[in-house]
Amino acid sequence: MNTQPLNKLPLFTLNSVHMRTFHTTWLMFFVCFFGWFGLAPLMPTIREDLGLSKAQVGNIIIASVSSTIIARLIIGKLCDTWGPRKTAIRLLIAGSLPVFLVGLSKDYTTFLLFRLAIGVIGASFVITQFHTSMMFSANIKGTANAVTGGWGNLGGGVTNMVMPLIFAAIVGFGYTKQEAWRFAMIVPGVMMLIVAWMYYKFTKDTPAGNFDEIGRNSDKTKSKTDWSILADWRIWALTLAYGMCFGMEITFDNVASLHFVDTFHLSQSSAGFWAGVFGFMNIFARALGGIISDKVGARSGMRGKGMLLACVLLLEGIGLLLFAQAGTLALAIISMLSFALFLKMANGATYGIVPFINEKNVGLVSGIVGAGGNLGGMLFGFLFKSESITYVEAFTYIGYIVIAVSVIVLLTRFIKKPATEASTATTGQVAFAD
């Protein structure tokens, strides 16, 4: 058995613990994303059923992403201590409960609380990135992280397409619309429990075995959290960057159906389809960002990776401005696809850098940057809840903010620290010369 990280990515094999873990961990994030945003394409019905105002819908959007901020910080540390396998199984089982029970909501307050609880499963992303980083070597780590992240994010596109169909099928069996959206959420809850069993059955924490088996979390190997990493500006630059790309992604997943219904007068199913197209681009776009990041890193080091990230963020911001000004559905879709491409590439490019910032604290760094994505989504949510700001104006403001952050990233020196400051025993930092 190969106990070393893989230096290649054989996507269509399951004959090693590396690849079984790879496919299970992106599937875990996929079903969590499916449950996390399963309610978003049904919001036109839910809004009518519960009598929600624009401000209340905005608060629900904020709640759905804000709880994930704290959860990602906690999950990042738990990955370092428990190991990603135990962390994933426990998160899936606990997270399935509010997904199953959200159908019991009777008013705005109870729905808001359930949405807040469901948001915790968004922390599954940190597990995916941590676990993938354990399984692959430095030369392919950015690509592997981007593929698992992108295919997991794909859940946001699939849920926008599939949940309206599940909803329609339940209505077809004779249930009312008010009952159908509630029963529909049973589907992602069941999916989460199935994947929890798969995670237990088919994965290991590392190629050499679980943390318990290799003694990684024994008393001798445990260490205190290295909070000194918070002084590293590169972490905060990446946190800002991820807030602009992933933060915008989850915001769009939440508001896209409502925007298409209200602005272009589409049906709930049609709006869900086009919102799903946005998410479906994760099947290749995030991976593309990671692949290019690895290739740029091999040639130009960490500095090149940073410049790539700044470039795709700039293009994302420009695409958002074009989307905001689109006067027809056709132009809106074309501009949506353009900013979606660069947004998802930025996601991959960000986590093409993250594993190399501080390899002794991969989980903590992943958690901090990942939390930044949700913090961005939460702050953007305040724009969409405002009664005085239209959705079009909100997209415009966000476009300018993304462009400003791209400049900050461009000015940040993503360089390898000297050997005296970083462990020479790790593979990631020494892989890229500047």
Side-chain angles (χ1 to χ4, degrees):
M1 183 180 73
N2 181 8
T3 60
Q4 298 300 314
L6 284 184
N7 59 8
K8 57 183 179 179
L9 184 60
L11 282 176
F12 304 106
T13 64
L14 291 170
N15 58 2
S16 68
V17 67
H18 310 76
M19 295 310 299
R20 288 192 294 272
T21 298
F22 172 88
H23 285 294
T24 305
T25 198
W26 76 254
L27 183 61
M28 180 268 300
F29 187 36
F30 178 96
V31 300
C32 284
F33 221 104
F34 196 99
W36 189 12
F37 288 98
L39 293 163
L42 307 181
M43 279 305 294
T45 295
I46 297 170
R47 178 175 60 181
E48 181 181 352
D49 181 25
L50 300 180
L52 303 175
S53 67
K54 182 185 178 186
Q56 289 174 329
V57 171
N59 288 335
I60 289 166
I61 292 171
I62 293 168
S64 70
V65 298
S66 58
S67 58
T68 318
I69 299 171
I70 303 300
R72 287 191 172 191
L73 295 174
I74 295 172
I75 290 296
K77 180 58 180 174
L78 291 178
C79 282
D80 284 323
T81 54
W82 287 353
R85 182 170 173 266
K86 284 183 179 179
T87 305
I89 294 168
R90 293 169 182 177
L91 179 64
L92 285 163
I93 293 172
S96 69
L97 296 177
V99 174
F100 278 124
L101 299 176
V102 67
L104 300 177
S105 302
K106 298 300 182 183
D107 53 27
Y108 161 67
T109 302
T110 52
F111 186 78
L112 179 71
L113 292 174
F114 274 117
R115 203 72 183 91
L116 191 69
I118 290 173
V120 172
I121 62 178
S124 54
F125 168 74
V126 177
I127 303 172
T128 292
Q129 298 300 285
F130 183 96
H131 214 168
T132 305
S133 295
M134 292 290 103
M135 293 292 169
F136 295 91
S137 58
N139 68 302
I140 198 70
K141 197 174 291 188
T143 299
N145 277 343
V147 174
T148 52
W151 288 3
N153 282 0
L154 186 62
V158 173
T159 195
N160 270 305
M161 292 179 172
V162 171
M163 285 301 280
L165 299 179
I166 295 173
F167 169 86
I170 295 172
V171 171
F173 281 112
Y175 293 94
T176 66
K177 291 183 178 180
Q178 290 72 26
E179 293 170 327
W181 75 260
R182 301 168 191 274
F183 290 134
M185 288 301 289
I186 294 174
V187 175
V190 171
M191 292 166 62
M192 291 173 67
L193 293 181
I194 293 172
V195 174
W197 175 82
M198 292 177 63
Y199 225 100
Y200 171 80
K201 184 75 174 176
F202 299 117
T203 72
K204 295 285 188 180
D205 287 325
T206 73
N210 294 322
F211 280 12
D212 292 341
E213 297 166 348
I214 63 176
R216 175 158 173 157
N217 58 357
S218 65
D219 291 336
K220 292 182 179 180
T221 59
K222 284 182 180 178
S223 60
K224 293 183 178 179
T225 301
D226 183 11
W227 295 111
S228 66
I229 67 172
L230 299 181
D232 190 340
W233 167 249
R234 297 175 302 167
I235 293 175
W236 300 112
L238 290 173
T239 301
L240 275 175
Y242 206 57
M244 296 303 103
C245 50
F246 186 72
M248 184 60 229
E249 176 164 6
I250 57 179
T251 298
F252 198 81
D253 282 334
N254 264 322
V255 305
S257 288
L258 288 170
H259 177 65
F260 284 127
V261 168
D262 294 344
T263 304
F264 300 106
H265 311 295
L266 300 185
S267 66
Q268 180 172 275
S269 58
S270 295
F273 172 81
W274 289 115
V277 170
F278 169 84
F280 215 80
M281 291 186 69
N282 275 306
I283 199 168
F284 73 92
R286 182 164 184 151
L288 183 62
I291 292 168
I292 296 176
S293 180
D294 278 344
K295 291 187 178 297
V296 170
R299 292 185 177 183
S300 305
M302 294 288 283
R303 184 181 290 109
K305 283 174 170 270
M307 292 180 67
L308 170 68
L309 177 57
C311 180
V312 289
L313 283 172
L314 173 64
L315 294 172
E316 176 200 339
I318 294 172
L320 271 167
L321 294 178
L322 294 174
F323 176 77
Q325 301 304 316
T328 66
L329 178 62
L331 288 176
I333 291 170
I334 292 171
S335 54
M336 178 190 75
L337 294 177
S338 68
F339 88 76
L341 172 64
F342 298 116
L343 177 154
K344 295 168 195 299
M345 286 182 65
N347 285 336
T350 301
Y351 272 83
I353 298 174
V354 165
F356 307 110
I357 294 295
N358 189 308
E359 292 213 2
K360 289 184 177 181
N361 296 277
V362 173
L364 185 58
V365 175
S366 294
I368 292 170
V369 176
N374 285 85
L375 180 61
M378 183 189 75
L379 295 177
F380 293 155
F382 284 100
L383 293 175
F384 289 96
K385 69 166 284 188
S386 173
E387 297 286 358
S388 60
I389 299 176
T390 66
Y391 277 16
V392 169
E393 290 172 330
F395 285 125
T396 301
Y397 296 152
I398 294 171
Y400 286 123
I401 295 170
V402 173
I403 291 172
V405 170
S406 73
V407 175
I408 294 174
V409 172
L410 181 65
L411 297 176
T412 300
R413 290 172 58 83
F414 291 104
I415 59 173
K416 176 187 69 171
K417 288 194 172 185
T420 56
E421 298 180 47
S423 171
T424 56
T426 59
T427 59
Q429 296 269 9
V430 299
F432 301 106
D434 289 294

